[in-house]
């Protein structure tokens, strides 16, 4: 059974940084693609980044490109999202999700993923 657990959320001031972690279990890590989504109250879930653990390809939404960086640690079966220069608009619940296979071509489509974590809250104050 696939199990994803996010951690690292919290409250920061604008301009600050946080690093989110997505600890995975129940599957062969390097055969999967892992994505990060976020959802603010009253808004649709937004796909913001992806890493294909097999070929290390990555993808970013324009809203976070150049501020966020996704990475992985195969030894720990963990994917990270380093978030820098945070803005109040980044306030949301952040989720990681996984799907079998390699590639981030459809990274921003929630239905592309088969398993989801429960989320971690990020709050950025101005």
């Amino acid at each position: 059974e696939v199990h994803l657990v996010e951690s690292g959320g919290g409250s920061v001031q604008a301009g600050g940084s946080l690093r989110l972690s997505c600890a995975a279990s129940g599957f062969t890590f390097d055969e999967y693609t892992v994505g990060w989504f976020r959802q603010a109250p009253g808004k649709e879930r937004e796909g913001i980044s992806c890493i294909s653990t097999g070929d290390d390809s990555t993808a970013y939404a324009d809203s976070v490109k150049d501020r966020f960086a996704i990475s992985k640690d195969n030894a720990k079966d963990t994917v990270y999202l380093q978030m820098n220069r945070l803005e109040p608009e980044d306030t949301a619940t952040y989720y990681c999700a996984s799907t079998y296979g390699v590639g981030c071509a459809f990274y921003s489509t929630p239905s592309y993923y088969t398993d989801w974590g429960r989320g971690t809250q990020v709050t950025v104050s101005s």
Side-chain angles (χ1 to χ4, degrees):
E1 180 182 358
V2 175
H3 194 51
L4 302 171
V5 179
E6 304 94 338
S7 62
S11 298
V12 296
Q13 290 191 327
S17 299
L18 285 173
R19 189 178 79 158
L20 304 184
S21 299
C22 174
S25 62
F27 61 89
T28 305
F29 192 65
D30 63 1
E31 295 180 350
Y32 276 68
T33 292
V34 176
W36 282 100
F37 286 75
R38 65 185 182 186
Q39 188 166 21
K43 294 189 177 181
E44 292 187 355
R45 190 165 293 194
E46 176 190 13
I48 58 173
S49 188
C50 168
I51 187 164
S52 180
T53 56
D55 65 5
D56 291 349
S57 61
T58 60
Y60 296 93
D62 288 343
S63 58
V64 305
K65 197 173 183 179
D66 298 328
R67 297 189 298 125
F68 291 9
I70 194 169
S71 62
K72 63 181 176 71
D73 184 336
N74 285 351
K76 296 182 178 179
D77 288 353
T78 299
V79 171
Y80 303 99
L81 186 68
Q82 178 66 44
M83 306 187 297
N84 300 321
R85 304 200 314 273
L86 284 162
E87 304 167 352
E89 292 74 22
D90 295 317
T91 295
T93 301
Y94 284 70
Y95 301 89
C96 64
S98 68
T99 188
Y100 178 76
V102 172
C104 291
F106 304 102
Y107 79 96
S108 64
T109 303
S111 60
Y112 181 58
Y113 299 87
T114 55
D115 297 278
W116 293 78
R118 293 187 176 183
T120 186
Q121 178 67 35
V122 172
T123 302
V124 185
S125 58
S126 57

